[in-house]
Amino acid sequence: MDAKLILQIVGVALGLLYLWLEYRADIRLWIVGLIMPVVHGALYFKAGLYADCSMQVYYVLAGLYGLAVWRNAPKKNKEHARIAHTPAAKIPYIAAAYLLAHAVIYFVLVRFTDSTVPFWDSFTTALSIVAMWLLSRKYMEQWLVWLVVDITTVALYIYKGIPLTAGLYVVYSALAVVGYLKWRREYRKMAR
């Protein structure tokens, strides 16, 4: 078995566990989220997906941040303890952050790597940055952002020759829909 295949199998197993925990809004998702980026980082480097590879460093940092926010939310700030909608006032700032991240990542990929998919690699990476921040705040729209990332990633990973990981993103896509619906139901229960 070659290294790429082993990394895909381990990454898929960790990804499914992560999704289950995220779906349940279980704080342990952040623990898995600290391990999974190491595996995916190695895989993406081997596949020439340099922005996705670099993104794994962000995922570790975001995992530490998300764990801290979720653990301390009930004590410090009730706003972050519950599932909520993204405040409309934050959407322009989130969109601007996405556009800036996409432009910077695209520039780096074009200028400093041999990436064959700089636009799509930077697109999914920049949106993933946004989605992780939304998740850390328990904003339910994070699921919709992940859905866009996941659908795009399926095609990208098939193109780059990592079909098992593309298959994981098919599952991610389906669970993004299911997760959004579940979090929406939870939100409605809390609002009563």
Side-chain angles (χ1 to χ4, degrees):
M1 224 186 293
D2 76 332
K4 238 165 97 169
L5 181 58
I6 292 168
L7 289 168
Q8 286 185 83
I9 292 168
V10 173
V12 166
L14 289 169
L16 291 173
L17 176 59
Y18 180 90
L19 268 181
W20 173 248
L21 295 170
E22 183 180 8
Y23 172 78
R24 298 183 63 215
D26 186 321
I27 194 169
R28 292 175 294 178
L29 77 95
W30 298 109
I31 305 299
V32 175
L34 293 172
I35 299 165
M36 193 169 50
V38 175
V39 174
H40 284 146
L43 174 63
Y44 300 150
F45 184 80
K46 286 186 167 297
L49 293 162
Y50 304 117
D52 278 353
C53 178
S54 300
M55 182 68 184
Q56 304 314 300
V57 175
Y58 170 77
Y59 282 147
V60 169
L61 297 174
L64 292 170
Y65 174 76
L67 181 62
V69 169
W70 281 33
R71 282 186 67 187
N72 296 324
K75 297 172 198 158
K76 289 185 177 178
N77 190 341
K78 294 285 186 194
E79 173 188 335
H80 300 305
R82 299 163 51 110
I83 295 167
H85 281 289
T86 307
K90 291 187 179 186
I91 293 174
Y93 298 105
I94 294 167
Y98 158 74
L99 290 171
L100 178 63
H102 190 167
V104 169
I105 295 165
Y106 178 80
F107 172 78
V108 169
L109 289 176
V110 168
R111 182 87 167 113
F112 300 107
T113 75
D114 62 352
S115 177
T116 58
V117 287
F119 178 84
W120 296 109
D121 199 4
S122 57
F123 173 77
T124 57
T125 301
L127 274 182
S128 295
I129 291 168
V130 168
M132 283 296 287
W133 184 82
L134 293 170
L135 172 60
S136 75
R137 298 292 168 185
K138 285 192 176 176
Y139 293 146
M140 72 176 73
E141 290 78 14
Q142 60 99 10
W143 290 106
L144 302 176
V145 176
W146 282 124
L147 181 60
V148 173
V149 170
D150 298 340
I151 290 169
T152 306
T153 299
V154 169
L156 181 60
Y157 288 6
I158 288 170
Y159 176 76
K160 292 301 283 185
I162 48 177
L164 290 180
T165 306
L168 175 62
Y169 279 82
V170 169
V171 174
Y172 280 1
S173 298
L175 286 178
V177 173
V178 173
Y180 176 77
L181 295 174
K182 180 183 188 296
W183 279 34
R184 190 174 69 177
R185 279 191 308 273
E186 291 297 318
Y187 174 78
R188 287 178 178 165
K189 281 183 199 172
M190 291 183 295
R192 289 182 194 158

